């Protein structure tokens, strides 16, 4: 028995180690086929700290409750219980062998008992969760839909088998050592010690040889399996995740949200005023992704957390962030032999490698190289165009990914090539682009129309809004109010604009606007993929803002649109524009806290708040809108099931505001249905895009249901969709005919 165990174990170990090492080297070479990216190595101390915090704290996984706790023990056990593997090798030669120095040290034995038990229980929990959520039962609602099931189950049952072997060996070790009564060293395994106690010494030794062999063979059979499957992300993520987290986009450890990365070619930002002749615009081949992109694809563990949160997938559209990353991974590894041999295409589609270089490349890899990255099933494309254009860039996938995959950056890079080189994108978005080029706003309205709301406000309230540099000196301005296209031109959004301006006036804040000098911030064209138009609009706005605020003590800007807020604060620094930017809810909360705004009039009703993606997930502004509503008398807040970090998109981001939804359920309808399940009187938000999308759906439901009593899918006739600023104004304004109560404000 002992000889057989030794031979089988050592042969399996040698084969498993060799294959796994070869696969690791191959993965490294495949990742290196990506384009250069020199932005991933700065601040190594902080990056190392981020890896330690995310792994040891499981900061992303623990948001999922029991799943996160179970996975923590599995992950920690996977690496720390390697000592039991060393012990198993020793036991092949001597059944009573233990690790030198620490082998009989009580803290070490307790650690092995506890972590071994909890790892086994943890993986058993994850297996049960997977079995209860099988796609065959839940369909698209299962986060495992589309994952490679056999790989996941193989990995899970491997860990379960190793955990069982560890505990059985502990019981056998205790019985062989002659443990007669309960000892702390066998904290959990003592019942097994009792079960084995009556066996003979020789039988116990043979059982130890057997289970040591099983433990070693299970471990290295896993190494063999991943060695012949280098694209097996559900297994390889155990190693690759550390690198993927270390090389994440943000040096400070933040998720890859907010700003988009500048468009690069060969690892360097493209100079749009004088691009290089060989500049590559966007991604049309998998090797055009940066090496970090290829590492992203390789690291995906197929857990489906991104898929479960994706608004497109949840409304019947073909986009699943998980399936998109998996498709890119399988394509990258299938094409890798061709790329590693020197294969590739120039801008005209001509092969750059010689026949000699490609002579040993497998036919399957050559065929894979001919597949278009973006194309329909008939075209044998890797990513279907409907998948690419379904993304709202809401950031739910990036926020939830436990291994820090940067889905949005990859999607936008593919869009950039489609828009700028192929001119291939949904036709209705073309109207938006033309209007931006000609008129500086998505609706194509005249520039002078940007001041219509100012005239309306003066007529309604007598308040005059000054234009900076014309009616007021920049040195007198506390805040430059960036109104935005929607805030100036869309009727529903204009109500927010006027309410906010009136609140600033009431609070005595000195503010001004750019008026006709303001143009589109460039958020929509950039996320559509038209980087050139974004650069043009952004450069124009940066020049305008710098000139307008040149004499201002602080270049402080407030915006009511989260998309403008995000663009000016996070993306204009790429264009040389550095400004202090806040959202209007942040300023209003500050003014309330200072006592400059006093909500006194009750606004009765049940209210639920919708988190705008570009205010919440992209910029982590969750509290100010809620704190404002807390201060308004009469309001009763109730959160929707999906809120804050897990908030559900309205469907307008990623330039989807300007594209029609033709597949599945409308995203705004899904969101409104969730709100209506609470039977609210008011749905509030803090974004003009969200306001339009939610209003459209609510109005449609009022019309279709005739204003009937609230039921499933019904909207009450008095249900309002309003911005938080409108609610606050309603509470701050004096009731006509009422005597205002004197208010005292602490100095």
């Amino acid at each position: 028995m002992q000889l057989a165990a030794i031979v089988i174990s050592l042969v399996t170990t040698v084969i498993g180690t060799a294959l796994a090492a070869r696969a690791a080297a191959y993965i490294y070479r495949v990742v290196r086929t990506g384009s250069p990216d020199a932005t991933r190595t700065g601040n190594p101390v902080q990056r190392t700290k981020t890896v330690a915090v995310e792994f040891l704290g499981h900061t992303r996984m623990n948001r999922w409750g029991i799943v996160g706790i179970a996975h923590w023990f599995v992950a920690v056990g996977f690496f720390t219980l390697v000592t039991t593997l060393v012990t198993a090798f020793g036991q092949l030669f001597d059944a009573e062998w233990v690790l030198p120095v620490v082998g009989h040290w009580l803290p070490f034995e307790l650690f092995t008992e506890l972590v071994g038990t909890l790892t086994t229980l943890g993986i058993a929990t994850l297996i049960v969760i997977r079995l209860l959520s099988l796609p065959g039962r839940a369909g698209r609602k299962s986060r495992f839909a589309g994952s490679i099931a056999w790989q996941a189950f193989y990995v899970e049952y491997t860990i379960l088998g190793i955990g069982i072997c560890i505990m059985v060996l502990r019981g056998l070790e205790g019985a062989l050592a002659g443990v007669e009564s309960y000892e702390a060293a066998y904290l959990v395994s003592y019942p097994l010690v009792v079960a084995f106690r009556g066996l003979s010494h020789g039988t116990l030794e043979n059982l130890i040889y057997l289970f040591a062999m099983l433990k070693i063979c299970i471990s290295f059979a896993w190494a063999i399996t991943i060695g012949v499957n280098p694209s097996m992300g559900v297994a390889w993520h155990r190693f690759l995740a550390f690198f993927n987290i270390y090389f994440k986009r943000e040096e400070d450890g933040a998720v890859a949200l907010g700003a988009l990365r500048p468009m690069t070619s060969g690892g360097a930002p493209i100079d749009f005023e004088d691009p290089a002749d060989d500049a590559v615009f966007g991604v049309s081949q998998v090797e055009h992704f940066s090496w970090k992109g290829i590492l992203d694809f390789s690291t995906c563990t197929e857990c489906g957390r991104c898929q479960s949160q994706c608004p497109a997938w949840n409304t019947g559209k073909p986009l699943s962030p998980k399936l998109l990353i998996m498709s890119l991974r399988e394509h990258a590894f299938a094409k890798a032999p061709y790329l590693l041999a020197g294969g590739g295409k120039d801008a005209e589609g001509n092969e750059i490698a010689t026949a000699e270089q490609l002579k040993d490349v497998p036919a399957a890899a050559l065929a894979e190289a001919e597949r278009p990255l973006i194309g329909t099933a008939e075209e044998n494309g890797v990513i279907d165009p409907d998948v690419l254009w379904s993304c709202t860039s809401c950031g739910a996938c990036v926020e939830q990914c436990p291994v820090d995959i940067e889905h949005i950056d990859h999607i936008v890079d593919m869009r950039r090539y489609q828009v700028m080189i192929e001119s291939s994108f949904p036709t209705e978005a073309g109207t938006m682009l033309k209007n931006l080029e000609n008129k500086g706003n998505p609706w194509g309205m005249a520039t002078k129309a940007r001041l219509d709301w100012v005239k309306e406000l003066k007529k309604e309230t007598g308040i005059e809004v000054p234009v900076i540099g014309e009616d007021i000196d920049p040195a007198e301005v506390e805040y430059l109010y960036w109104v935005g296209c929607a805030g100036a031109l869309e009727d529903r959004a204009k109500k927010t604009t006027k309410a906010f301006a009136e609140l600033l006036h009431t609070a005595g804040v000195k503010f001004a606007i750019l008026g006709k000098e303001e143009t589109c911030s460039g958020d929509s064209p950039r996320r559509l993929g038209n980087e050139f138009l974004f650069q043009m609009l952004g450069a124009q706005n940066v020049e305008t803002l710098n000139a307008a605020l040149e004499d201002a003590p602080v270049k402080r800007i407030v915006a009511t649109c989260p998309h403008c807020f995000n663009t000016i604060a996070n993306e204009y620094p790429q264009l040389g524009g550095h400004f202090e930017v806040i959202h209007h809810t942040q300023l209003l909360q500050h003014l309330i806290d200072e006592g400059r705004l006093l909500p006194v009039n009750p606004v009765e009703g049940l209210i639920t708040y919708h988190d705008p993606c570009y205010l919440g997930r992209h910029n982590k502004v969750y509290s100010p809108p809620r704190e404002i509503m807390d201060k308004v008398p009469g309001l009763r807040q109730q959160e929707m099931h999906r809120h804050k970090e897990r908030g559900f998109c309205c469907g307008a981001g990623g330039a989807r505001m300007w594209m029609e939804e033709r597949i599945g359920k409308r995203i705004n309808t899904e969101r409104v249905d969730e709100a209506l399940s609470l039977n609210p009187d008011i749905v509030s938000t803090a974004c003009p895009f969200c306001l339009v999308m939610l209003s459209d759906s609510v109005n449609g439901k009022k019309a279709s249901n005739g204003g009937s009593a609230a039921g499933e899918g019904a909207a009450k006739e008095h249900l309002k969709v309003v911005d938080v600023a409108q609610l606050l104004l309603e509470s701050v304004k004096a009731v006509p005919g009422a005597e205002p109560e004197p208010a005292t404000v602490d100095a």
Side-chain angles (χ1 to χ4, degrees):
M1 180 67 214
Q2 183 181 20
L3 180 60
I6 291 172
V7 171
I8 294 172
S9 297
L10 293 182
V11 169
T12 306
T13 299
V14 170
I15 295 173
T17 302
L19 289 176
R22 186 186 69 169
Y26 184 70
I27 292 171
Y28 174 76
R29 292 169 62 209
V30 172
V31 168
R32 288 288 302 273
T33 63
S35 298
D37 186 348
T39 66
R40 302 288 181 164
T41 55
N43 200 346
V45 173
Q46 177 58 48
R47 289 181 180 276
T48 304
K49 179 181 176 183
T50 297
V51 173
V53 169
E54 287 200 25
F55 175 68
L56 296 176
H58 253 46
T59 51
R60 311 294 286 283
M61 289 290 296
N62 283 338
R63 299 174 183 176
W64 290 74
I66 188 65
V67 175
I69 295 170
H71 190 276
W72 188 89
F73 284 110
V74 172
V76 170
F78 181 84
F79 291 102
T80 61
L81 293 178
V82 69
T83 55
T84 64
L85 185 60
V86 176
T87 301
F89 276 108
Q91 288 170 329
L92 291 175
F93 299 92
D94 179 359
E96 298 184 39
W97 190 87
V98 297
L99 287 171
V101 183
V102 297
H104 288 305
W105 187 39
L106 181 59
F108 174 75
E109 291 190 289
L110 286 173
F111 177 85
T112 302
E113 289 273 318
L114 287 172
V115 176
T117 302
L118 292 170
T119 296
T120 306
L121 293 175
I123 199 63
T125 301
L126 297 179
I127 290 172
V128 170
I129 290 171
R130 187 178 293 274
L131 290 172
L132 292 174
S133 304
L134 288 175
R137 297 178 181 177
R140 286 175 67 98
K141 292 184 179 179
S142 169
R143 62 185 175 91
F144 302 116
S147 298
I148 304 174
W150 78 262
Q151 294 184 354
F153 280 118
Y154 175 75
V155 168
E156 289 174 342
Y157 286 118
T158 291
I159 297 170
L160 180 63
I162 292 171
I164 291 171
C165 285
I166 290 172
M167 300 313 296
V168 170
L169 282 168
R170 288 292 296 158
L172 290 168
E173 290 163 12
L176 190 63
V179 174
E180 293 295 335
S181 60
Y182 181 80
E183 293 181 9
Y186 298 94
L187 181 69
V188 180
S189 63
Y190 183 71
L192 291 172
V193 174
V194 174
F196 295 132
R197 190 184 291 156
L199 300 177
S200 68
H201 188 275
T203 301
L204 288 171
E205 285 187 332
N206 281 329
L207 285 173
I208 286 178
Y209 300 146
L210 174 64
F211 278 92
M213 179 190 72
L214 283 175
K215 184 181 186 314
I216 292 167
C217 288
I218 291 172
S219 299
F220 285 95
W222 179 80
I224 292 170
T225 304
I226 69 172
V228 297
N229 292 283
S231 64
M232 191 174 173
V234 70
W236 279 106
H237 86 276
R238 281 162 175 73
F239 309 108
L240 298 180
F242 294 104
F243 299 100
N244 212 51
I245 295 169
Y246 181 88
F247 293 120
K248 67 194 298 184
R249 191 179 84 181
E250 304 300 333
E251 291 182 0
D252 63 0
V255 292
L257 294 174
L260 284 175
R261 283 171 53 83
M263 194 167 173
T264 61
S265 177
I270 295 175
D271 180 357
F272 280 87
E273 294 185 1
D274 184 25
D277 293 337
D278 60 349
V280 177
F281 291 82
V283 169
S284 63
Q285 303 289 332
V286 72
E287 62 269 25
H288 293 165
F289 287 109
S290 72
W291 60 263
K292 175 56 169 64
I294 309 294
L295 181 59
D296 270 359
F297 311 152
S298 306
T299 308
C300 178
T301 185
E302 303 175 25
C303 66
R305 284 169 181 78
C306 57
Q307 179 173 287
S308 70
Q309 304 297 300
C310 177
W313 183 259
N314 275 280
T315 53
K317 297 167 181 62
L319 169 63
S320 155
K322 177 188 73 178
L323 298 180
L324 176 128
I325 295 297
M326 287 172 61
S327 295
L328 292 170
R329 179 189 68 200
E330 298 306 317
H331 175 59
F333 277 87
K335 188 178 179 180
Y338 163 80
L339 296 174
L340 292 171
K345 303 288 177 64
D346 60 20
E348 286 72 39
N350 301 313
E351 179 59 56
I352 60 176
T354 64
E356 178 65 23
Q357 287 176 289
L358 301 180
K359 66 181 177 63
D360 294 325
V361 175
L366 292 173
E368 193 72 24
E370 297 302 318
R371 296 181 67 190
L373 189 65
I374 307 298
T376 62
E378 292 76 15
E379 297 167 332
N380 197 27
V382 178
I383 304 297
D384 192 279
D386 285 334
V387 169
L388 189 66
W389 298 111
S390 292
C391 179
T392 66
S393 71
C394 71
C397 50
V398 180
E399 180 70 39
Q400 292 298 329
C401 182
V403 293
D404 285 296
I405 293 171
E406 299 163 5
H407 311 72
I408 292 178
D409 286 345
H410 305 320
I411 289 172
V412 171
D413 274 340
M414 290 186 284
R415 284 183 171 190
R416 284 166 168 168
Y417 181 84
Q418 294 299 303
V419 172
M420 300 182 68
I421 303 301
E422 296 290 335
S423 295
S424 176
F425 50 88
T427 53
E428 57 267 28
T431 303
M432 177 267 291
L433 294 176
K434 289 178 183 176
N435 288 336
L436 288 176
E437 291 171 359
N438 297 328
K439 298 291 186 178
N441 68 80
W443 291 278
M445 297 175 70
T447 303
K448 64 181 181 180
R450 285 187 177 272
L451 290 171
D452 286 351
W453 72 270
V454 176
K455 300 171 186 174
E456 294 168 13
L457 183 65
K458 183 178 181 181
K459 184 177 179 181
E460 294 165 9
T461 65
I463 296 172
E464 295 190 15
V465 177
V467 176
I468 196 165
E470 294 181 13
D471 308 313
I472 190 171
D473 188 86
E476 301 177 52
V477 174
E478 290 181 73
Y479 291 94
L480 173 63
Y481 175 22
W482 181 275
V483 181
C485 298
L489 303 170
E490 205 283 328
D491 288 339
R492 285 163 289 189
K494 282 161 70 174
K495 294 178 181 177
T496 302
T497 305
K498 290 186 282 188
F500 181 57
E502 189 170 349
L503 286 166
L504 293 181
H505 177 79
T506 302
V509 175
K510 288 189 176 295
F511 73 101
I513 61 173
L514 288 174
K516 292 184 288 186
E517 294 299 311
E518 186 178 297
T519 190
C520 177
S521 67
D523 164 83
S524 288
R526 188 174 215 197
R527 277 146 188 82
L528 182 73
N530 194 330
E531 183 72 8
F532 179 78
L533 183 53
F534 164 74
Q535 295 276 337
M536 183 178 74
L537 293 168
Q540 179 180 336
N541 281 326
V542 167
E543 183 179 352
T544 301
L545 288 168
N546 280 332
L549 297 172
E550 185 177 6
D551 297 326
V554 180
K555 295 183 177 181
R556 188 180 291 133
I557 298 170
V558 61
T560 42
C561 176
H563 296 264
C564 296
F565 164 58
N566 178 71
T567 301
I568 300 170
N570 299 324
E571 297 187 335
Y572 279 8
Q574 299 171 7
L575 306 176
H578 299 274
F579 310 102
E580 182 183 321
V581 191
I582 62 170
H583 188 252
H584 75 290
T585 56
Q586 294 174 300
L587 179 54
L588 292 176
Q589 180 209 1
H590 176 68
L591 294 173
I592 292 173
D593 290 344
E594 283 191 334
R596 296 168 71 180
L597 289 175
L598 298 174
V600 290
N601 301 318
V603 180
E604 300 292 343
L606 177 67
I607 187 168
T608 189
Y609 174 72
H610 163 79
D611 284 284
C613 299
Y614 273 80
L615 183 63
R617 264 191 301 269
H618 281 275
N619 286 284
K620 313 304 177 195
V621 179
Y622 296 112
S623 297
R626 291 173 169 84
E627 292 183 17
I628 292 170
M629 291 184 289
D630 276 341
K631 299 291 175 60
V632 175
L635 285 180
R636 291 171 289 121
Q637 289 191 58
Q638 187 168 350
E639 296 283 10
M640 285 183 265
H641 174 66
R642 294 176 287 203
H643 64 280
K644 293 188 177 179
E645 290 87 354
R646 294 197 192 182
F648 197 77
C649 184
C650 74
R656 289 294 323 176
M657 179 81 169
W658 320 106
M659 294 180 258
E660 186 53 61
E661 282 190 62
R662 297 187 175 89
I663 304 173
K665 183 179 182 180
R666 293 183 66 88
I667 294 173
N668 59 337
T669 301
E670 171 76 7
R671 186 54 164 167
V672 166
D673 283 344
E674 185 173 359
L676 293 180
S677 69
L678 302 177
N679 194 22
D681 302 296
I682 305 169
V683 176
S684 66
T685 188
C687 169
F689 283 16
C690 296
L691 191 70
V692 169
M693 299 297 284
L694 299 177
S695 296
D696 282 348
S697 183
V698 166
N699 292 337
K701 287 181 175 293
K702 286 181 180 179
S704 62
N705 289 282
S708 60
E712 186 173 355
K716 295 184 289 191
E717 190 59 37
H718 69 267
L719 176 63
K720 299 188 296 184
V721 180
V722 295
D723 188 273
V724 173
Q726 294 171 262
L727 287 171
L728 181 59
L729 179 63
E730 189 176 343
S731 184
V732 167
K733 287 180 73 171
V735 178
E739 286 291 327
E741 294 184 10
T744 58
V745 181
D746 293 335

